[in-house]
């Protein structure tokens, strides 16, 4: 029973962080997601509620061959990409896993795949997804979230501070942050 309560509690926190992200669009259909992503650049994505009742969320993203949807699996308190959808990921062995990695938060998973996308581009000497050669298969590259609305200035500052701290802020910088600000940052510890 305690494990169930913990799982529900951690899911509530993860959903709240996803809602705070700004790129969670809620209960929009796949058709509506395609419409809002239609004129966006390759790698632009949003997260929405899944139309498949077996899954909580879906990532809708623009690929070189069009807009595709990848389900997010929630199992045993962890989020991952649907295994059959991970075939769309780059199979470069440096970034390939025997199974999709699992995360305690959907936003953390999105950030991971954004970082992987940037590392793949760096390894290929590219600065944008438009510079990659297009192929006949969809590649799972997360580059830029499509925000549903403009975030508050307070939240934009939080993302900027988180980005600065993740990008190499020193321990001294972190120690100088007031405790109330640290608490606020901890409620959404991501730069995206």
């Amino acid at each position: 029973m305690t494990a169930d309560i913990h799982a529900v509690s951690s899911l509530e926190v993860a959903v709240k962080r996803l809602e705070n992200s700004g790129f969670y669009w809620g209960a929009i259909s796949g058709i509506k997601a395609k419409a809002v992503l239609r004129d966006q650049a390759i790698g632009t994505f949003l997260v929405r509620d899944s139309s498949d009742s077996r899954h909580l969320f879906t990532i809708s993203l623009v690929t070189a061959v069009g807009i595709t949807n990848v389900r997010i699996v929630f199992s045993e308190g962890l989020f991952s990409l649907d295994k059959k959808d991970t075939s769309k990921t780059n199979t470069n062995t440096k970034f390939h896993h025997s199974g999709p990695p699992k995360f305690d938060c959907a936003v953390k998973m999105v950030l991971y795949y954004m970082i992987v996308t940037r590392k793949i581009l760096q390894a290929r000497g590219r600065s944008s997804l438009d510079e990659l050669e297009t192929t006949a298969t969809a590649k799972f590259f997360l580059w830029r979230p499509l925000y549903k609305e403009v975030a508050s200035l307070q939240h934009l500052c939080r993302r900027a501070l988180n980005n600065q701290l993740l990008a190499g802020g020193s321990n001294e910088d972190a120690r100088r942050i007031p405790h109330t600000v640290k608490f606020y940052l901890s409620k959404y510890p991501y730069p995206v």
Side-chain angles (χ1 to χ4, degrees), residues 9-23:
S9 175
S10 65
L11 179 59
E12 287 174 350
V13 170
V15 169
K16 187 67 174 166
R17 286 182 174 171
L18 186 57
E19 289 170 343
N20 287 338
S21 73
F23 55 80

Side-chain angles (χ1 to χ4, degrees), residues 4-189:
D4 291 340
I5 292 170
H6 177 69
V8 169
S9 175
S10 65
L11 179 59
E12 287 174 350
V13 170
V15 169
K16 187 67 174 166
R17 286 182 174 171
L18 186 57
E19 289 170 343
N20 287 338
S21 73
F23 55 80
Y24 172 62
W25 286 61
I28 66 167
S29 68
I31 294 168
K32 174 72 174 173
K34 282 185 178 187
V36 298
L37 288 167
R38 184 175 323 141
D39 297 324
Q40 300 296 321
I42 295 171
T44 304
F45 66 92
L46 60 85
V47 177
R48 62 183 177 84
D49 292 343
S50 180
S51 57
D52 183 336
S53 62
R54 296 172 296 167
H55 302 284
L56 294 174
F57 308 112
T58 296
I59 297 175
S60 295
L61 73 141
V62 180
T63 70
V65 296
I67 297 166
T68 192
N69 299 297
V70 180
R71 290 181 196 95
I72 298 175
V73 174
F74 182 71
S75 178
E76 299 177 4
L78 299 172
F79 294 92
S80 64
L81 295 179
D82 191 1
K83 288 180 183 177
K84 65 181 173 233
D85 290 330
T86 58
S87 62
K88 297 173 184 157
T89 333
N90 188 310
T91 55
N92 182 332
T93 56
K94 186 174 181 180
F95 305 108
H96 184 69
H97 300 273
S98 58
K102 298 178 187 310
F103 303 87
D104 61 354
C105 178
V107 178
K108 188 183 292 185
M109 182 186 72
V110 165
L111 179 60
Y112 168 83
Y113 284 106
M114 289 178 73
I115 291 168
V116 167
T117 297
R118 280 158 178 72
K119 287 182 178 183
I120 290 169
L121 288 175
Q122 287 173 347
R124 294 183 182 181
R126 305 283 193 248
S127 61
S128 78
L129 290 173
D130 295 331
E131 296 176 14
L132 288 178
E133 61 282 348
T134 58
T135 63
T137 60
K139 299 290 185 186
F140 186 82
F141 292 127
L142 297 185
W143 184 253
R144 182 180 69 87
L146 182 62
Y147 294 104
K148 185 176 181 179
E149 57 194 22
V150 177
S152 69
L153 182 57
Q154 188 176 19
H155 186 66
L156 291 172
C157 289
R158 174 168 48 190
R159 288 193 337 224
L161 277 170
N162 286 332
N163 188 45
Q164 187 66 30
L165 291 170
L166 286 173
S170 69
N171 287 338
E172 182 62 32
D173 291 339
R175 280 193 289 266
R176 286 188 284 186
I177 297 173
H179 291 292
T180 53
V181 174
K182 283 181 186 176
F183 178 75
Y184 180 69
L185 293 176
S186 74
K187 293 297 182 187
Y188 187 85

